[in-house]
Amino acid sequence: MTLAPGEEVDATTRALAHEPVPADQVVSGRPSTGWVELDDSIGVWEMTPGAMRDVEADEVFVVLAGSATVEFEEPALPPIELRAGSVARLAEGMRTVWTVRETLRKVYIAG
C-alpha cells in the first residue's frame, strides 16, 4: 500500500497479518508480529504479548495501544516503558529486547 497525499488511514484498526517471531529471537512466550507499510518509510507495526530480541532500524515511533518495556542490550541504556501516547526514537543497529504485556501497536517513521 502507498499512502497518497491527502489520503487517510486508520492506523488503530488497520488489519495486520501476523507471523510468529522466529525461534532464535524469542526470549519468552509465543509472540507474533504484524505490519503494513504505508509508504517507503512509514508503517504500522504490532507485537502480541511475549518477549523477543531485535536489531533496530533508525526510526521514530508513536505507540497507539498496548504496553511494553524495551531493554537496550547494546548500547547499554536504561529501559523505556511504552504505553499509548509514548514517542521514542531508535538508532540503526541497537540491540533490544521487547517485552510486551498488552498487544503493542505503533506507527513508525524510518530514517
Side-chain angles (χ1 to χ4, degrees):
M1 165 184 196
T2 299
L3 189 62
E7 186 177 9
E8 179 272 340
V9 171
D10 186 341
T12 62
T13 60
R14 177 79 182 186
L16 304 177
H18 274 248
E19 297 177 3
V21 170
D24 63 335
Q25 289 181 260
V26 173
V27 174
S28 67
R30 296 175 62 164
S32 66
T33 58
W35 65 93
V36 63
E37 289 185 350
L38 303 177
D39 199 325
D40 290 338
S41 60
I42 303 169
V44 179
W45 181 86
E46 183 174 83
M47 180 178 161
T48 61
M52 67 173 273
R53 283 190 165 75
D54 202 10
V55 178
E56 302 301 334
D58 190 25
E59 72 176 63
V60 173
F61 64 86
V62 178
V63 175
L64 302 175
S67 66
T69 302
V70 179
E71 297 172 84
F72 298 94
E73 294 185 319
E74 190 178 313
L77 296 171
I80 57 175
E81 296 295 327
L82 302 176
R83 65 200 169 290
S86 294
V87 178
R89 182 173 186 170
L90 301 172
E92 186 172 347
M94 286 180 143
R95 295 185 180 282
T96 57
V97 175
W98 291 71
T99 303
V100 172
R101 293 176 294 283
E102 179 184 350
T103 298
L104 188 82
R105 182 175 281 225
K106 68 179 184 174
V107 171
Y108 65 85
I109 301 171

